[in-house]
Amino acid sequence: MAVYIIAQLKFTRRELYDRYQSRFFDVFRKFKGRVVIADERPQVLEGRFERDKVVVLEFPDSAAALEFQESAEYAEIAADRKAGADAVVILARGFGDKS
């Protein structure tokens, strides 16, 4: 069953985040995922959303998601994301997955 890495970002140093973003797809394409959402203008329907961007990445399973998240290639570019944005990042199972 599919799993999703969901990130909510608040930019703190946009130039560093932009550098991360410019390198992201070169790294990401080596893994078994796909970008579902990358929206810098999400429409808030309820509650408060004090972030600038939402990203949803889909993977076939938790192992594939963690392979990407914990890879040396991603860690190298993620330093710029961490320096350029405050983030909440979660891993969530797709609907119907009991594992």
Side-chain angles (χ1 to χ4, degrees), residues 22-35:
S22 73
R23 300 170 64 201
F24 176 82
F25 280 105
D26 287 340
V27 171
F28 187 71
R29 73 172 46 100
K30 298 175 185 178
F31 296 88
K32 302 173 196 160
R34 75 179 185 101
V35 176

Side-chain angles (χ1 to χ4, degrees), residues 3-10 17 20 24 28 49 51 53-59 65-66 68-70 74 78 81-83 85-93:
V3 300
Y4 301 87
I5 292 178
I6 303 166
Q8 298 179 348
L9 303 133
K10 177 72 174 170
Y17 183 82
Y20 157 80
F24 176 82
F28 187 71
F49 183 77
R51 301 287 173 160
K53 185 173 185 176
V54 175
V55 176
V56 177
L57 308 175
E58 180 182 50
F59 294 88
L66 294 175
F68 164 71
Q69 184 73 22
E70 296 172 355
Y74 184 66
R81 183 197 43 84
K82 292 174 182 178
D86 176 52
V88 175
V89 181
I90 64 170
L91 178 70
R93 291 181 293 278

